[in-house]
Amino acid sequence: MQMASREQTDEAIGERSSVWILDQKLDQPMEEEAKRLRNMYKEKKFSASLVLQLAFQSLGVVYGDLGTSPLYVFYNTFPARVEDPEDVIGALSLIIYSLSLVPLLKYVFIVCRANDNGQGGTFALYSLLCRHANIKIIPNQDRTDEELTTYSRSVFPSEKSFAARTKRWLEGNAFKKNALLVLVLIGSCMVIGDGILTPAISVLSAVGGINVGHPVINNDLVVLVAVAIIVGLFSMQHYGTDKVGWLFAPVVLVWFILIGGIGIFNIWRYDSSVLKAFSPVCIYRYFRRGGRDSWTSLGGIMLSITGTEALFADLSHFPVSSIQIAFTVIVFPCLLLAYSGQAAYLLKNPDNVVGAFYHSIPDSIYWPVFLVATAAAVVASQATISATFSLIKQALALGCFPRVKVVHTSKTFPNQIYIPDINWILMILCIAVTAGFRNQTQIGNASGTAVVIVMLVTTLLMTLIMTLVWRCHWIVVLIFTGLSLVVECTYFSAVLLKVNQGGWVPLVIAAAFFIIMYVWHYGTVKRFETEFHSKVSMAWILGLGTSLGLVRVPGIGLVYTELASGVPHIFSHFITNLPAIHSVVVFVCVKYLPVHKVPEEERFLVKRIGPKNFHMFRCVARYGYQDLHKKDHEFEKKLFDSLFLFVRYESLMEGCSDSDWSCVDGEQTAQSSNTLNNDNGKTAHSDLGITVSLEDSIVLTNSSSHGNNTIRRSYSRASSQIEIDELEFLNSCRDVGVVHILGNSIVKARRDSKFYKKIAIDYIYAFLRKICRENSAIFNVPQESLLNVGQILYV
């Protein structure tokens, strides 16, 4: 073994890694297989029948909120009565072009294309940006992470390109990275707020039809029925999106057919001249006539596009093609007919704007439509609830939310999840909003505020996506951003006028969740930085000798740590206070990457720490934000399989002579089993690790300018015997028993810290850590083999 130079770091001295970079060592058939895997993970293909099936299901999960907006849009636009019938035409024209520009053009055909391998929402956009620019605040990534088949990103742009200049500007300082994270958290918190407000306004508006059919019924009974329906809705969530989708999709389909049919009937019966609203000139006349009042009414018209933000957040449940088919074929035309029909009715009955939808229903089908409307309102709530669950799951993986229980509800569709704690919190807050406001107007103002802020955040993130990921020309980016901001800032200025009329509710809810998410992320970053800078020196470890200064007892100790490199301080604390340590020590780091999923065959990254007779290893288990760690019941078995495979490959490398390794097109040459040539031709100690595949056999070949030369698998008797002895030793230690060692750290702010940092760390972060799930539950560690090691970290 060749020793590292003194200039190298302690980690380079202690960590010996056998490196296999498969993409550079494979022959042509293996390269084609790798390309096939990448394409498979990049875009999952669905059959035509499955796309149509999922398009049908998406009606019940994604489009309920958009579909029930006709229940309350005109009422919130004209709260008292319609003063001028032409105002109805102007409002309808605004609704038509809002639906065309925002849900149809922007979201369905542009934003949905910016998905992260099928995952939608603000955190998915943030993860996509993290792979194309160094903006992730927790620096726990390794170069080998970029070799994952799911770590797809565009080719690095030229230095003088607009994308390269934007990338350098974004990576310039920590403030810009933090500002981007704050922007993502604001958008996410508003989605959560909308998940509380949408069930309230949808159900209350639908149940309010009782007053139209029986005016003698008072509002208290309406509120009571609405609260009962909301309780039932949240109680059904544990059945999962798949079952709920199949249950709700027929209801929503019938609802769209009904509102479309009623719209056609009203246009024919009352006034077909309402169709002139398709001319944008009506919008100009509407603002010229009404002035400030017309501008204020935009807060009500804004409700016609609520649910659009949930459409993108729910993308993980369904493929893009299914969502596009459902919207363009069913949702969009039926909504246009429904709004046009209501406008035609209001032209002849301007005094019936309160409950306009129910007044416009023909008497013969009033009660059947009322029942379907109530059921559809329940479905509308499902879209934002599912979006909230998806968003919380992504925030968990990126270290932006306290640990909560996540349940996968479908074996067929792993992205469909249920989070019990969040579900009951949403239910309580939704009931409080419903019983507190007791009317649609103020809840509508609150919902509009939340929706427009989410859209503004999405626009700003999409600007970066189009620049860094898609590499669009700056003129295209400017057109998209400018057009989006004109529409959304116009609505935003209108909803600001209604902050004191209920618009403050989402701001308060979002502020509460923002504090929780930002403080948790801030505490996580500070704890990681403290542990990273207090790593144990490898020179100190080597100085202890093979026994580490202790009695090495039979067995394997799995030491869980958040560090992907170096020896954590918790280990020195452990061996300082206890007289014994296991014969084999494996440092296990469970790390989440900014990808949606990590394939099973690429999950583990194994390294050796120190000389062989120390029997110390590191295993990094890598997960995406849609992977579920607890679902992996054979985690320990797969970990040891990877460890044994590493030992075999390491022995194989040591059994190879120098001539067994040749240059890959002059880029990389291994001079021995422990050194590599970097791109500049300088010898560097191998510190990349080995990506262990769990396949039974891997053919390792090496291509050069003279052709493909298969690596000769030549074992010396000595190295073969060493391998057998070490494998037998590892197996015997495993048979004795495995102990899971977890650090139970108490995080406190330093005494000289500023008061706001002490409040954030000593009170808020400490409280969140106390009420969230334990690490042992997250890692699914059996209690009988668990050992907690306590320490205090001052950050």
Side-chain angles (χ1 to χ4, degrees):
M1 173 180 176
Q2 192 174 21
M3 297 300 294
S5 63
R6 293 184 179 180
E7 288 79 7
Q8 291 172 313
T9 60
D10 288 338
E11 287 81 0
I13 295 175
E15 295 191 13
R16 296 177 50 226
S17 305
S18 303
V19 182
W20 301 85
I21 304 179
L22 295 181
D23 290 343
Q24 296 179 344
K25 306 296 184 190
L26 296 174
D27 58 1
Q28 190 64 32
M30 292 293 285
E31 288 178 353
E32 293 176 357
E33 178 66 14
K35 185 180 294 185
R36 185 190 67 81
L37 279 173
R38 280 191 169 84
N39 293 333
M40 179 182 69
Y41 282 104
K42 185 174 182 179
E43 183 179 359
K44 185 177 179 180
K45 299 295 183 181
F46 296 90
S47 63
S49 60
L50 184 58
V51 167
L52 294 177
Q53 172 188 326
L54 293 174
F56 171 71
Q57 279 196 50
S58 70
L59 292 174
V61 177
V62 177
Y63 293 114
D65 192 3
L66 267 173
T68 54
S69 295
L71 288 170
Y72 46 80
V73 168
F74 278 112
Y75 169 57
N76 281 272
T77 305
F78 308 106
R81 67 184 304 276
V82 179
E83 300 294 338
D84 186 348
E86 287 298 315
D87 288 345
V88 176
I89 303 295
L92 176 61
S93 186
L94 279 168
I95 292 171
I96 291 172
Y97 283 98
S98 295
L99 284 171
S100 302
L101 290 174
V102 181
L104 180 64
L105 181 61
K106 177 186 174 182
Y107 274 86
V108 172
F109 288 106
I110 297 179
V111 175
C112 283
R113 288 184 58 240
N115 63 86
D116 184 14
N117 289 282
Q119 313 304 311
T122 51
F123 274 111
L125 295 179
Y126 182 68
S127 297
L128 200 58
L129 289 172
C130 285
R131 297 206 299 272
H132 289 80
N134 184 23
I135 58 175
K136 191 176 180 184
I137 297 178
I138 302 179
N140 64 341
Q141 287 186 238
D142 191 86
R143 283 186 295 171
T144 51
D145 297 335
E146 300 177 7
E147 297 170 10
L148 292 170
T149 54
T150 52
Y151 202 98
S152 58
R153 62 178 181 180
S154 306
V155 180
F156 193 78
S158 61
E159 291 295 325
K160 296 182 179 180
S161 66
F162 179 62
R165 292 197 301 269
T166 305
K167 181 175 181 291
R168 288 195 298 270
W169 174 83
L170 195 60
E171 297 173 347
N173 53 56
F175 174 79
K176 295 172 185 175
K177 298 178 182 179
N178 198 54
L180 182 61
L181 177 64
V182 168
L183 183 69
V184 171
L185 293 182
I186 290 174
S188 302
C189 292
M190 286 299 173
V191 173
I192 297 174
D194 192 38
I196 296 167
L197 296 169
T198 296
I201 189 173
S202 299
V203 175
L204 196 59
S205 300
V207 178
I210 299 176
N211 282 336
V212 178
H214 288 282
V216 296
I217 297 178
N218 59 31
N219 194 53
D220 292 339
L221 181 60
V222 172
V223 173
L224 186 62
V225 173
V227 169
I229 292 175
I230 289 171
V231 171
L233 169 68
F234 283 97
S235 300
M236 293 176 60
Q237 293 304 311
H238 68 277
Y239 289 110
T241 307
D242 186 38
K243 296 182 178 63
V244 171
W246 274 114
L247 177 65
F248 287 168
V251 174
V252 179
L253 181 61
V254 172
W255 168 253
F256 278 118
I257 293 173
L258 279 176
I259 63 175
I262 294 171
I264 294 173
F265 174 78
N266 287 335
I267 294 171
W268 169 79
R269 179 179 179 182
Y270 294 105
D271 195 342
S272 60
S273 66
V274 74
L275 297 179
K276 66 183 181 182
F278 281 86
S279 171
V281 177
C282 297
I283 299 175
Y284 168 73
R285 293 172 181 171
Y286 178 67
F287 285 117
R288 188 183 64 179
R289 237 184 355 259
R292 179 182 171 85
D293 291 337
S294 296
W295 195 270
T296 306
S297 69
L298 287 174
I301 295 172
M302 172 71 199
L303 298 178
S304 64
I305 54 177
T306 56
T308 306
E309 73 292 343
L311 179 154
F312 182 51
D314 282 326
L315 197 62
S316 61
H317 300 277
F318 305 98
V320 175
S321 55
S322 295
I323 287 180
Q324 290 175 336
I325 290 172
F327 188 84
T328 54
V329 175
I330 298 175
V331 178
F332 185 65
C334 288
L335 284 177
L336 294 184
L337 290 172
Y339 286 117
S340 300
Q342 281 190 58
Y345 172 81
L346 289 175
L347 287 177
K348 301 298 183 182
N349 304 276
D351 294 330
N352 287 340
V353 68
V354 179
F357 173 80
Y358 285 110
H359 283 296
S360 66
I361 299 174
D363 293 337
S364 58
I365 60 171
Y366 180 84
W367 289 110
V369 173
F370 168 76
L371 293 176
V372 175
T374 305
V378 175
V379 177
S381 309
Q382 184 61 47
T384 52
I385 295 171
S386 300
T388 302
F389 290 161
S390 297
L391 184 146
I392 295 294
K393 176 66 175 67
Q394 294 172 3
L396 276 170
L398 296 174
C400 294
F401 203 84
R403 297 182 296 268
V404 291
K405 183 179 181 181
V406 178
V407 180
H408 280 229
T409 57
S410 174
K411 294 181 179 179
T412 307
F413 305 104
N415 296 328
Q416 298 183 357
I417 58 175
Y418 164 66
I419 305 177
D421 298 335
I422 300 300
N423 183 67
W424 303 125
I425 291 174
L426 292 180
M427 185 189 76
I428 293 171
L429 293 176
C430 185
I431 292 173
V433 169
T434 305
F437 284 115
R438 306 169 67 86
N439 69 82
Q440 307 168 27
T441 304
Q442 289 184 316
I443 301 177
N445 295 337
S447 181
T449 303
V451 170
V452 73
I453 292 177
V454 175
M455 290 181 177
L456 284 169
V457 170
T458 302
T459 297
L460 296 176
L461 292 176
M462 278 299 301
T463 301
L464 294 174
I465 292 291
M466 295 178 73
T467 303
L468 297 178
V469 182
W470 293 352
R471 310 284 165 76
C472 297
H473 195 277
W474 66 269
I475 295 179
V476 177
V477 177
L478 185 63
I479 292 173
F480 171 83
T481 307
L483 185 59
S484 299
L485 289 179
V486 166
V487 175
E488 291 157 8
C489 287
T490 301
Y491 279 121
F492 184 64
S493 63
V495 300
L496 283 179
L497 300 175
K498 298 187 177 183
V499 170
N500 62 339
Q501 302 174 26
W504 56 270
V505 174
L507 301 179
V508 172
I509 295 173
F513 276 96
F514 178 81
I515 291 172
I516 291 172
M517 297 174 77
Y518 187 79
V519 169
W520 181 265
H521 184 266
Y522 177 77
T524 302
V525 170
K526 290 301 179 183
R527 187 181 63 180
F528 179 86
E529 290 177 351
T530 302
E531 292 185 354
F532 184 81
H533 290 105
S534 62
K535 291 188 297 185
V536 179
S537 167
M538 279 305 304
W540 181 75
I541 294 290
L542 294 174
L544 296 176
T546 57
S547 66
L548 298 178
L550 305 170
V551 177
R552 301 295 291 266
V553 297
I556 297 180
L558 300 182
V559 182
Y560 288 83
T561 174
E562 295 184 3
L563 299 180
S565 63
V567 178
H569 181 264
I570 191 71
F571 181 70
S572 66
H573 184 67
F574 178 81
I575 63 176
T576 302
N577 292 275
L578 291 177
I581 190 66
H582 299 87
S583 299
V584 177
V585 176
V586 181
F587 295 98
V588 181
C589 173
V590 177
K591 181 173 67 171
Y592 284 90
L593 302 177
V595 296
H596 76 292
K597 192 177 290 295
V598 175
E600 285 292 335
E601 61 270 16
E602 299 177 342
R603 173 123 16 239
F604 295 98
L605 193 70
V606 181
K607 301 179 181 180
R608 184 187 292 278
I609 300 177
K612 280 191 174 184
N613 54 4
F614 275 55
H615 301 299
M616 295 173 64
F617 302 89
R618 169 175 292 104
C619 181
V620 180
R622 302 175 292 184
Y623 289 83
Y625 55 78
Q626 285 296 334
D627 287 322
L628 184 64
H629 179 61
K630 189 174 181 180
K631 187 180 179 181
D632 191 358
H633 299 291
E634 298 183 347
F635 175 79
E636 185 179 306
K637 178 182 180 298
K638 293 178 180 178
L639 187 151
F640 285 120
D641 288 345
S642 302
L643 180 61
F644 296 156
L645 197 57
F646 167 80
V647 172
R648 295 191 187 98
Y649 284 160
E650 184 187 45
S651 179
L652 181 150
M653 291 179 68
E654 291 181 349
C656 293
S657 64
D658 292 351
S659 60
D660 290 331
W661 287 87
S662 62
C663 176
V664 183
D665 298 331
E667 293 180 1
Q668 194 173 67
T669 302
Q671 292 184 338
S672 71
S673 62
N674 302 307
T675 58
L676 287 175
N677 279 354
N678 59 21
D679 295 338
N680 298 324
K682 297 178 181 179
T683 302
H685 187 81
S686 165
D687 193 28
L688 291 178
I690 171 175
T691 303
V692 178
S693 173
L694 300 183
E695 299 173 0
D696 292 334
S697 61
I698 297 180
V699 179
L700 299 173
T701 63
N702 186 21
S703 59
S704 65
S705 57
H706 300 289
N708 296 332
N709 299 318
T710 303
I711 296 178
R712 301 195 304 271
R713 301 189 175 191
S714 56
Y715 285 94
S716 64
R717 293 182 180 180
S719 62
S720 178
Q721 186 60 42
I722 292 174
E723 172 201 345
I724 296 172
D725 291 344
E726 185 166 19
L727 289 175
E728 290 179 352
F729 178 76
L730 291 174
N731 272 314
S732 63
C733 291
R734 182 184 180 184
D735 294 338
V736 171
V738 178
V739 175
H740 300 260
I741 304 170
L742 271 69
N744 188 12
S745 303
I746 299 176
V747 182
K748 291 185 177 182
R750 292 191 179 96
R751 291 184 179 181
D752 58 346
S753 300
K754 296 181 179 180
F755 75 95
Y756 57 83
K757 182 177 180 180
K758 290 182 178 180
I759 293 174
I761 298 297
D762 294 344
Y763 295 97
I764 302 177
Y765 184 68
F767 174 75
L768 293 175
R769 278 175 59 87
K770 187 175 182 180
I771 64 174
C772 72
R773 301 186 76 203
E774 296 288 340
N775 276 328
S776 57
I778 298 294
F779 295 143
N780 199 24
V781 175
Q783 292 296 318
E784 60 273 11
S785 60
L786 174 64
L787 177 62
N788 278 308
V789 180
Q791 67 172 348
I792 299 178
L793 294 177
Y794 290 95
V795 299

